Structures are given as C-alpha cells and as structure tokens.
C-alpha cells in the first residue's frame, strides 16, 4: 500500500442498495431492448395517447392501438367497442380495453363518426396483442377533418415511447 495508496486502500463496505440498483438497471435495459423490437409502421399517424390512424382509399380512417400500447396492457381479455354512428372528438375515449393488468380507455386520435367496428374483437380480443396493426383494428371512422392536427409521425411516436 506504500507505493499505490489509491489503488489498494481498503474497500468501504458495499452500499446496501447496490444490488437493487443493479436489478433496476438490468430491468431498464430489458425494457429498452423490448421497446426496440416494437414496430411503428409509417403508413399511419399516431396519437400521443397510443392509438394510430390509417387513412383508407375510400376516405375513411382505420383506428387501432399501437404495438407499445398492447405491450403495456399485457394480455387483452375484453374490448368494449363504440356504437356505429357514434361521434367522438379527438382526445375523447372511444372504447374500453380490459387486460389482465388494467382497464384502459382508448383515446380517439381524430374527430369523426364511427362507420364500422371490428366485430372480431368480440370473440377474440387477443387480436389487439397478436396483430395490433392489421386484424386488431378497433374502428373505421369518417373523419371530420382528415388534416386535423394532433397526430404525429411514426418516428416521432417511437421517440416519445423510447
């Protein structure tokens, strides 16, 4: 210790929460890796409340939950869909999604009238987990204003949830 006093000084007793910090850090790393594997197709726009809006050729817009949302919800066990003909403002709850973890409101990404709901979700709500961007869509909506602000690009959404 005479020649290298800084290198060989006695170690202090380990901090009591060192193990928990390590566990927390590893959990955060696992969450980041999992989020990196999530997808956000750029053929649609996203609402900050985790729903997407995909314009269709007939002028309607499909609405569904993002991959991030389904991952956060866990196993979906029930979906309460809106009534056909109902009108919702952007930011208003349009559906209720129940998972093993929580019941959550689906927030409308644009203002419009519901033209159709995904009846397949009545019997197979797990489609929201299995195929959130295809078979797991929630509703087809006639938008009040297709250019209504308040939605963001896939890249901006991915950055928001990272």
């Amino acid at each position: 210790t005479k020649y290298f006093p800084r290198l060989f000084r006695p170690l202090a007793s380990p901090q009591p929460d060192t193990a928990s910090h390590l566990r927390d850090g590893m959990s955060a790393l696992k969450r980041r890796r999992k989020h990196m594997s999530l997808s956000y197709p750029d053929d649609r726009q996203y609402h900050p409340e985790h729903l997407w809006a995909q314009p269709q050729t007939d002028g309607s817009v499909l609405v569904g939950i993002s991959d991030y949302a389904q991952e956060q919800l866990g196993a979906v066990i029930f979906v309460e869909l809106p009534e056909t003909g109902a009108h919702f403002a952007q930011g208003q709850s349009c559906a209720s999604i129940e998972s093993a973890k929580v019941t959550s409101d689906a927030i409308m990404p644009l203002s419009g009238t519901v033209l159709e709901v995904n009846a397949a979700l009545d019997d197979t709500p797990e489609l929201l987990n299995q195929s959130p961007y295809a078979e797991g869509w929630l509703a087809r909506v006639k938008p009040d204003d297709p250019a209504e602000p308040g939605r963001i690009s896939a890249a901006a959404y991915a950055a928001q949830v990272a």
Side-chain angles (χ1 to χ4, degrees), residues 1-69:
T1 62
K2 185 176 178 182
Y3 299 104
F4 305 102
R6 290 187 180 164
L7 294 176
F8 294 107
R9 78 183 145 186
L11 294 174
S13 61
Q15 298 293 330
D17 62 349
T18 301
S20 67
H21 283 301
L22 183 58
R23 256 192 321 277
D24 292 346
M26 292 303 289
S27 295
L29 181 60
K30 286 178 185 175
R31 283 192 305 274
R32 265 188 249 122
R33 282 189 187 144
K34 192 168 190 177
H35 293 321
M36 289 171 51
S37 66
L38 298 176
S39 67
Y40 310 108
D42 59 5
D43 64 343
R44 59 202 76 206
Q45 293 179 314
Y46 297 80
H47 188 270
E49 293 295 326
H50 313 297
L51 267 73
W52 51 262
Q54 182 187 40
Q56 303 296 295
T57 55
D58 65 358
S60 68
V61 176
L62 280 184
V63 172
I65 67 170
S66 71
D67 203 5
Y68 175 82

Side-chain angles (χ1 to χ4, degrees), residues 108-141:
M108 187 63 95
L110 73 164
S111 300
T113 303
V114 176
L115 299 173
E116 176 186 6
V117 295
N118 187 353
L121 295 175
D122 289 338
D123 295 327
T124 51
E126 62 272 14
L127 287 174
L128 288 180
N129 296 115
Q130 296 166 356
S131 182
Y133 297 119
E135 297 167 8
W137 58 275
L138 294 172
R140 181 181 305 274
V141 176

